[in-house]
C-alpha cells in the first residue's frame, strides 16, 4: 500500500470524524433544547391543572362574598345553609364555607367536623401568621390566602378569605377552606409520568415534592395563586444526564456508523474496484438499514434539487410514498405549495457549512393530500473544488407538538374568557347576556364548529336560544324541535353529562332526527348538559359540518363553560326567591296595617251604634217591664252586629270584603233581631263584588 494512499485514507478519516463531531455537537445542543422544551411542555399542563381547581374554588368564594355583601344579617341567617350547600356540592375538596361578621365565624357549613370553627374570632386568633393574613385581607380588599398548613380541624389545607365592607366600613369576612390533598390529586401532581415535580409558595416553602428538584437546574414555571407568585419546578426522572443520553446516544451511534460506512465506501471506491464483492453488498445493506432506521426523513438531491436518495421507512411513515415514486422527481412534490419550495431554496443559497444551518418550519403535503407542519434543516454537498453538487434535507414532523401548543393556548384563553364572564355577571348584567356572550366565546375558540345554547323540558321539547356558526352552517337561533322520537338520544341527554356523536350517519341514537340534522348541515354533535337538581335545564352544544372524533380537550372546554353557567343560573334563581319572599312579606305588612285600621274604626262604630240603640229604647221605658223588654231588644241587635263581624274576621281576605255575602249575612241576622217580623221573606239579586276594606270602613 503506497504512502499516498495511506495519507488519503488518514485524510478521509479525519474529515469524516470532523464532520461527525460537528454534527453530533449540533445535534447534542438540539437534544438539550428539545429535552428541556419537552419537559416544559409536559410540566405546563400540571401547572395549569394545579391552578385551575384553586381558581374555580376562589370563584365560589366570590359567589359567597356577593351573598354576604347583598343580604342583611337576618337574611344571611335564614338562607346561609341552603346557599352554602349549593356551593359546597359544586366542587369536591372544600372543607368548609363560613361567614364571619366582625371577624367571628357565626355561619359555618357543613357543621360536621367543623364544630371547632363555629364561634371562633379570627381577629383574635392565637396564631400570629393568621392575624397577619387577616389584616392583609382587610387592607387589600381582594382574595388572600393562608397556608398551606395544618388546619385546626386536622389535615393540610389552604384558607382563602375576602373582606366584606358596608359603606367603606369593615363588616366581616367570607372564608373557604380547601383540602390540599384533593387539589394535588385533582391536578395529577401525584401521577406525573417520567417527571419529578416540586412546588414552592410565595415564601419559598416547599409545598409539594422534594427540595432537591430546585437544585438540579430545573424547568421553572411561575404561577399565580390569588395574587401570590408560586413556582413549579420539574426535572426528568433519573436526571438531565440520563434524559440527554437517552435522546442523544442512538443518533450519535447512528452517525458514527454512517461516518464509518462513508469512510469505508470512499476507500473502496478509491481502490477502483471494478465489481462489487459480496462483502461490499453486505456493507451496503447495513448502510441502508441504518439510513432507513432514522425517524426523520433524509432527502439527498443533486444541484437541481432532484431527489437522488431518501430513507424508506421514514418516508413511508411521514409522507406515505415509496422511494421509487420520488426518485428522479423534484422536491417540490413534497411541499404544500411552490411558495414553500421556493422558501426552502432561498435558505439553501445561504447555507455555507454545518455551522450555518437553521431549521425552517414549513408546510408539507402527504401523498393523500393532507398537509402537516415540519422542520427542515438543509445542508449543501460540495465537490473537491467547493462547488455545490447537491443538497441534504432533514425533515422532522412537528405537527403533534403544534397541536399540544394549540391546546395549551386554548386552555389559557378559555380561563381568561371565563374570568371576564364572571366579572361581567358580578357587575349585575344578568345571566341571559352572559349565556349569549359565552356562546360567542366558544365559537371564537373553535370557529370551525357551530356553538349553541338550548333549553329542553322534561317532555323532550328542545328550543335553541343562541347559535353562532361558521358561514357554511345555518343559524339555528329560535329553532324548536321535538326529540322524543330519538328515545336513546333523549335518554342520553337526560342521564349523561356528555353526549357525543361522531357521525350522524352511523350513530343509532340520532337516526330519527337525521333528516333535521342534514337540514342544519350537522354531521357530528357534542352536547354537555346544564343540570337543575336531578333534571336537565339546558345544553351547550358543538355541531360540526363533517364527521368528527370529539377530543377530550374540546369536551373539557365545553364542560368548563357548562359548570360556569350552572353556577350563575343557580345564583340567579336564588336571588329571585329572595325577591319573591320580600314581596310576600310586604303584602303581609300591608294586610296587618289594614286590619289594625279596620279594628279601630269598627270598635268606634260599634260603640256609637250601641249608644244609639240605647237612646232609641230610652223613650219607651216607663216601667220595669218596659225596661227589661228594651234591654232584651238591645241585646238581640248587639248580638246581630257581633255575628256580622264574626263572619268578616273569618274571611280569607283581610284587606277586602265580599259585599254580596256580607249583605246576605246582615239581612239574615236582622230578620231575627227585629221583633214581630220573623215571617218576612228575603229575595236577593246580587253580583259577586269585592270592596277594599278601607273604602268600606269610610262609607259605613
Amino acid at each position: 500500500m503506497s504512502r499516498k494512499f495511506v495519507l488519503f485514507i488518514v485524510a478521509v478519516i479525519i474529515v469524516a470524524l470532523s464532520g461527525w463531531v460537528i454534527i453530533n455537537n449540533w445535534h447534542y445542543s438540539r437534544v438539550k433544547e428539545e429535552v428541556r422544551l419537552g419537559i416544559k411542555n409536559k410540566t405546563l399542563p400540571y401547572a395549569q391543572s394545579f391552578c385551575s381547581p384553586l381558581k374555580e374554588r376562589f370563584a365560589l368564594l366570590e359567589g359567597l362574598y356577593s351573598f354576604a355583601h347583598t343580604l342583611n344579617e337576618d337574611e344571611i341567617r335564614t338562607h346561609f345553609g341552603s346557599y352554602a350547600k349549593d356551593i359546597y356540592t359544586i366542587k369536591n375538596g372544600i372543607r368548609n364555607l363560613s361567614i364571619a361578621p366582625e371577624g367571628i365565624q357565626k355561619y359555618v357549613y357543613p357543621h360536621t367536623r367543623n364544630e371547632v370553627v363555629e364561634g371562633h374570632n379570627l381577629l383574635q386568633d392565637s396564631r400570629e401568621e393568621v392575624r397577619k393574613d387577616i389584616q392583609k385581607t382587610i387592607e387589600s380588599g381582594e382574595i388572600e390566602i393562608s397556608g398551606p398548613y395544618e388546619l385546626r380541624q386536622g389535615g393540610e389545607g389552604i384558607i382563602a378569605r375576602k373582606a366584606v365592607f358596608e359603606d367603606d366600613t369593615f363588616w366581616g369576612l367570607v372564608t373557604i377552606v380547601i383540602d390540599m390533598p384533593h387539589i394535588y390529586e385533582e391536578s395529577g401532581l401525584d401521577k406525573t409520568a417520567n417527571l419529578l415535580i416540586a412546588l414552592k409558595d410565595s415564601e419559598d416553602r416547599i409545598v409539594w415534592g422534594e427540595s432537591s428538584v430546585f437544585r438540579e437546574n430545573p424547568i421553572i414555571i411561575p404561577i399565580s395563586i390569588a395574587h401570590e407568585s408560586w413556582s413549579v419546578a420539574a426535572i426528568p426522572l433519573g436526571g438531565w444526564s440520563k434524559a440527554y443520553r437517552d435522546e442523544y446516544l442512538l443518533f450519535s451511534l447512528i452517525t458514527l456508523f454512517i461516518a464509518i460506512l462513508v469512510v469505508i465506501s470512499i476507500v473502496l471506491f478509491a481502490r477502483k474496484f471494478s465489481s462489487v464483492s459480496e462483502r461490499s453488498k453486505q456493507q451496503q445493506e447495513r448502510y441502508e438499514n441504518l439510513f432507513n432506521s432514522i425517524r426523520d426523513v433524509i432527502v439527498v438531491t443533486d444541484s437541481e434539487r432532484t431527489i437522488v436518495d431518501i430513507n424508506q421507512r421514514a418516508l413511508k411513515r411521514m409522507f406515505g410514498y415509496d422511494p421509487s415514486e420520488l426518485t428522479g422527481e423534484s422536491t417540490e412534490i413534497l411541499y404544500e405549495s411552490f411558495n414553500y419550495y421556493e422558501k426552502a431554496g432561498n435558505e439553501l443559497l445561504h447555507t455555507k457549512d454545518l455551522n450555518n444551518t437553521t431549521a425552517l418550519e414549513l408546510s408539507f403535503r402527504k401523498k393523500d393530500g393532507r398537509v402537516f407542519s415540519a422542520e427542515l434543516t438543509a445542508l449543501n454537498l460540495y465537490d473537491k473544488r467547493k462547488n455545490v453538487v447537491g443538497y441534504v434535507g432533514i425533515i422532522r414532523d412537528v405537527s403533534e407538538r403544534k397541536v399540544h401548543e394549540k391546546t395549551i393556548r386554548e386552555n389559557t384563553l378559555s380561563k381568561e374568557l371565563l374570568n371576564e364572564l364572571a366579572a361581567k355577571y358580578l357587575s349585575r348584567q344578568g345571566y341571559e347576556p352572559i349565556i349569549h356572550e359565552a356562546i360567542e366565546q366558544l365559537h371564537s375558540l373553535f370557529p370551525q364548529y357551530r356553538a349553541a345554547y338550548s333549553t329542553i323540558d322534561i317532555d323532550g321539547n328542545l328550543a335553541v336560544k343562541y347559535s353562532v356558526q361558521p358561514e357554511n352552517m345555518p343559524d339555528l337561533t329560535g329553532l324548536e324541535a321535538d326529540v322524543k322520537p330519538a328515545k336513546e338520544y333523549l335518554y342520553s341527554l337526560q342521564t349523561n353529562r356528555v353526549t357525543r356523536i361522531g357521525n350522524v350517519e352511523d350513530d343509532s341514537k340520532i337516526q330519527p332526527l337525521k333528516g333535521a340534522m342534514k337540514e342544519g348541515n350537522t354531521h357530528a354533535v357534542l352536547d354537555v348538559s346544564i343540570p337543575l337538581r336531578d333534571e336537565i335545564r339546558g345544553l351547550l352544544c358543538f355541531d360540526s359540518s363533517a364527521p368528527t372524533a370529539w377530543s377530550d380537550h374540546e369536551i373539557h372546554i365545553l364542560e368548563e363553560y357548562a359548570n360556569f353557567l350552572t353556577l350563575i343560573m343557580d345564583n340567579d334563581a336564588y336571588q329571585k326567591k329572595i325577591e319573591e319572599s320580600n314581596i310576600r312579606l310586604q303584602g303581609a305588612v300591608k294586610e296587618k296595617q289594614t286590619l289594625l285600621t279596620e279594628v279601630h274604626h269598627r270598635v268606634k262604630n260599634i260603640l256609637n251604634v250601641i249608644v244609639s240603640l240605647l237612646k232609641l229604647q230610652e223613650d219607651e221605658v216607663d216601667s220595669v217591664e218596659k225596661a227589661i223588654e228594651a234591654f232584651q231588644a238591645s241585646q238581640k241587635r248587639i248580638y246581630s252586629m257581633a255575628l256580622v263581624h264574626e263572619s268578616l274576621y273569618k274571611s280569607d281576605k283581610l284587606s277586602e270584603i265580599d259585599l254580596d255575602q256580607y249583605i246576605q249575612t246582615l239581612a239574615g241576622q236582622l230578620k231575627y233581631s227585629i221583633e214581630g217580623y220573623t215571617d218576612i221573606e228575603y229575595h236577593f239579586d246580587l253580583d259577586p263584588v269585592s270592596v277594599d276594606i278601607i273604602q268600606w270602613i269610610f262609607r259605613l
Side-chain angles (χ1 to χ4, degrees):
M1 187 178 294
S2 66
R3 181 180 178 183
K4 184 177 180 180
F5 187 71
V6 172
L7 292 174
F8 173 77
I9 293 175
V10 172
V12 169
I13 292 174
I14 292 173
V15 171
L17 288 175
S18 299
W20 178 78
V21 169
I22 292 171
I23 290 175
N24 276 271
N25 287 339
W26 165 79
H27 182 67
Y28 186 74
S29 63
R30 286 178 58 83
V31 165
K32 290 178 67 176
E33 293 176 0
E34 290 178 0
V35 168
R36 292 187 71 85
L37 179 61
I39 295 299
K40 181 178 181 180
N41 290 338
K42 289 179 181 178
T43 307
L44 274 172
Y46 290 108
Q48 293 171 346
S49 297
F50 178 75
C51 293
S52 294
L54 287 175
K55 289 181 179 179
E56 290 170 354
R57 287 155 180 83
F58 293 161
L60 298 179
L61 180 61
E62 289 287 0
L64 186 60
Y65 166 82
S66 299
F67 174 83
H69 186 265
T70 303
L71 305 181
N72 58 43
E73 189 163 348
D74 289 338
E75 293 170 327
I76 291 173
R77 184 183 303 109
T78 303
H79 303 290
F80 173 77
S82 60
Y83 184 78
K85 180 180 179 182
D86 290 341
I87 294 180
Y88 183 84
T89 55
I90 290 176
K91 289 291 180 183
N92 295 327
I94 299 176
R95 178 67 63 85
N96 65 57
L97 300 146
S98 67
I99 298 177
E102 299 179 356
I104 300 172
Q105 293 181 292
K106 289 185 178 179
Y107 311 103
V108 181
Y109 185 90
H111 297 288
T112 305
R113 296 183 60 192
N114 292 292
E115 293 81 1
V116 69
V117 177
E118 295 185 3
H120 178 60
N121 191 335
L122 296 172
L123 301 179
Q124 299 176 3
D125 195 285
S126 59
R127 295 165 292 179
E128 181 180 359
E129 66 273 20
V130 174
R131 295 198 303 274
K132 288 181 178 179
D133 290 340
I134 296 296
Q135 186 62 32
K136 183 180 178 182
T137 302
I138 296 173
E139 292 174 355
S140 69
E142 301 292 338
I143 292 177
E144 299 291 344
I145 63 173
S146 299
Y149 50 60
E150 187 71 18
L151 299 172
R152 296 172 70 243
Q153 309 96 307
E156 183 187 14
I158 276 182
I159 302 177
R161 303 182 181 92
K162 188 170 183 179
V164 181
F165 292 86
E166 191 171 272
D167 297 329
D168 296 330
T169 301
F170 173 71
W171 179 85
L173 298 164
V174 292
T175 305
I176 183 170
V177 180
I178 303 170
D179 273 324
M180 289 308 294
H182 185 90
I183 299 300
Y184 299 144
E185 180 181 357
E186 185 174 340
S187 62
L189 289 180
D190 57 346
K191 299 177 182 178
T192 55
N194 302 322
L195 287 176
L196 291 177
I197 291 180
L199 184 65
K200 271 186 180 181
D201 65 10
S202 59
E203 297 179 5
D204 284 337
R205 296 178 300 184
I206 299 299
V207 175
W208 172 268
E210 302 294 333
S211 60
S212 59
V213 174
F214 281 90
R215 298 193 294 269
E216 297 294 330
N217 189 25
I219 296 294
I220 301 291
I221 299 175
I223 58 176
S224 177
I225 306 296
H227 311 294
E228 291 189 7
S229 297
W230 291 28
S231 56
V232 177
I235 62 174
L237 188 66
W240 291 111
S241 298
K242 181 179 182 301
Y244 295 155
R245 185 172 62 252
D246 291 343
E247 294 289 331
Y248 169 74
L249 185 59
L250 179 61
F251 181 86
S252 179
L253 293 174
I254 290 173
T255 52
L256 179 60
F257 281 126
I258 292 175
I260 293 172
L261 292 176
V262 169
V263 171
I264 294 173
S265 299
I266 293 174
V267 171
L268 292 175
F269 280 113
R271 296 182 64 177
K272 299 180 180 178
F273 285 151
S274 58
S275 61
V276 180
S277 64
E278 186 64 27
R279 185 175 180 181
S280 298
K281 291 180 180 179
Q282 292 176 357
Q283 293 289 349
Q284 181 65 23
E285 289 176 358
R286 291 175 185 173
Y287 164 76
E288 289 178 355
N289 289 335
L290 187 62
F291 183 60
N292 289 323
S293 68
I294 299 174
R295 293 185 60 83
D296 296 338
V297 173
I298 301 177
V299 184
V300 182
T301 72
D302 59 17
S303 59
E304 300 298 324
R305 300 174 68 185
T306 300
I307 298 173
V308 175
D309 197 8
I310 194 166
N311 50 340
Q312 179 179 357
R313 294 176 186 172
L315 176 68
K316 187 70 176 178
R317 182 181 62 254
M318 193 178 298
F319 285 91
Y321 288 104
D322 289 323
S324 59
E325 297 178 86
L326 297 183
T327 303
E329 297 288 338
S330 171
T331 54
E332 183 183 349
I333 193 174
L334 299 176
Y335 296 92
E336 180 191 5
S337 65
F338 179 77
N339 290 336
Y340 291 109
Y341 171 75
E342 191 175 42
K343 186 176 181 180
N346 293 334
E347 180 64 23
L348 290 171
L349 294 176
H350 296 88
T351 302
K352 301 300 181 184
D353 52 44
L354 291 174
N355 294 321
N356 191 28
T357 60
T358 57
L360 289 177
E361 188 172 309
L362 304 171
S363 293
F364 293 84
R365 187 182 299 277
K366 297 178 182 286
K367 182 179 179 180
D368 59 10
R370 289 180 294 160
V371 175
F372 67 100
S373 296
E375 287 183 349
L376 171 67
T377 303
L379 304 172
N380 292 344
L381 296 177
Y382 300 95
D383 61 12
K384 293 180 180 180
R385 298 179 180 179
K386 301 297 182 181
N387 296 320
V388 177
V389 295
Y391 307 99
V392 175
I394 302 173
I395 303 173
R396 173 169 293 180
D397 190 346
V398 296
S399 55
E400 290 185 4
R401 187 186 75 192
K402 292 180 73 66
V403 168
H404 185 64
E405 291 173 350
K406 180 175 179 290
T407 299
I408 292 175
R409 288 196 304 271
E410 289 175 348
N411 279 333
T412 302
L413 181 58
S414 69
K415 297 293 186 300
E416 293 174 355
L417 293 175
L418 280 173
N419 287 337
E420 291 178 7
L421 284 180
K424 290 182 178 179
Y425 177 73
L426 293 175
S427 65
R428 301 293 182 184
Q429 287 195 11
Y431 74 83
E432 287 289 347
I434 298 300
I435 295 176
H436 198 176
E437 187 163 345
I439 298 303
E440 296 279 357
Q441 289 182 3
L442 285 170
H443 180 64
S444 69
L445 288 170
F446 301 95
Q448 70 274 30
Y449 301 141
R450 178 199 289 125
Y453 168 74
S454 307
T455 59
I456 183 170
D457 61 22
I458 58 175
D459 296 324
N461 298 310
L462 183 143
V464 181
K465 299 299 183 181
Y466 306 111
S467 169
V468 183
Q469 55 283 319
E471 293 182 356
N472 65 333
M473 301 184 77
D475 186 356
L476 300 185
T477 302
L479 175 69
E480 295 183 357
D482 181 6
V483 297
K484 288 192 295 295
K487 295 181 179 179
E488 291 184 46
Y489 176 58
L490 179 59
Y491 179 77
S492 179
L493 293 180
Q494 293 173 337
T495 57
N496 299 322
R497 184 71 194 279
V498 178
T499 298
R500 66 174 95 182
I501 296 175
N503 190 341
V504 171
E505 294 290 338
D506 300 337
D507 199 302
S508 61
K509 294 192 296 292
I510 205 71
Q511 289 304 305
L513 304 177
K514 187 168 67 174
M517 291 289 178
K518 286 186 176 180
E519 291 181 6
N521 194 20
T522 302
H523 294 271
V525 178
L526 177 63
D527 295 316
V528 175
S529 66
I530 301 174
L532 175 62
R533 299 182 183 90
D534 297 330
E535 299 177 358
I536 186 170
R537 167 168 38 190
L539 297 172
L540 279 183
C541 309
F542 277 153
D543 298 335
S544 175
S545 59
T548 301
W550 299 108
S551 68
D552 292 338
H553 168 61
E554 292 164 339
I555 294 172
H556 172 69
I557 295 293
L558 210 57
E559 282 188 310
E560 278 196 333
Y561 272 81
N563 290 338
F564 173 76
L565 294 182
T566 300
L567 179 62
I568 67 171
M569 287 182 179
D570 287 343
N571 184 65
D572 198 77
Y574 185 76
Q575 293 296 332
K576 288 182 179 177
K577 288 182 180 178
I578 292 176
E579 292 173 1
E580 292 172 357
S581 178
N582 289 337
I583 292 173
R584 288 195 298 271
L585 289 174
Q586 290 172 0
V589 170
K590 181 181 176 182
E591 290 275 352
K592 291 178 181 178
Q593 291 174 342
T594 301
L595 179 60
L596 185 59
T597 301
E598 179 188 2
V599 167
H600 286 305
H601 186 74
R602 290 193 178 185
V603 168
K604 173 187 172 183
N605 283 354
I606 289 170
L607 293 174
N608 288 334
V609 170
I610 291 173
V611 171
S612 299
L613 289 174
L614 293 175
K615 284 184 177 181
L616 288 174
Q617 299 297 332
E618 182 180 359
D619 296 335
E620 299 178 7
V621 176
D622 53 6
S623 63
V624 174
E625 290 79 6
K626 291 289 186 178
I628 292 173
E629 291 176 0
F631 276 113
Q632 289 176 345
S634 296
Q635 273 185 324
K636 292 180 180 179
R637 290 188 175 98
I638 293 171
Y639 180 66
S640 176
M641 292 169 61
L643 291 178
V644 171
H645 283 285
E646 180 182 6
S647 67
L648 288 176
Y649 80 72
K650 287 183 178 180
S651 172
D652 292 335
K653 302 175 184 178
L654 296 176
S655 60
E656 294 182 353
I657 289 180
D658 293 330
L659 190 57
D660 53 328
Q661 296 180 7
Y662 177 82
I663 292 173
Q664 293 183 47
T665 303
L666 180 62
Q669 299 302 330
L670 288 174
K671 176 178 180 181
Y672 294 101
S673 64
I674 300 174
E675 185 177 358
Y677 293 93
T678 56
D679 295 331
I680 298 175
E681 293 183 0
Y682 297 91
H683 298 279
F684 301 98
D685 184 9
L686 301 172
D687 292 328
V689 177
S690 295
V691 179
D692 185 90
I693 190 66
I694 300 298
Q695 296 178 357
W696 178 249
I697 288 172
F698 286 104
R699 289 184 179 181
L700 285 176

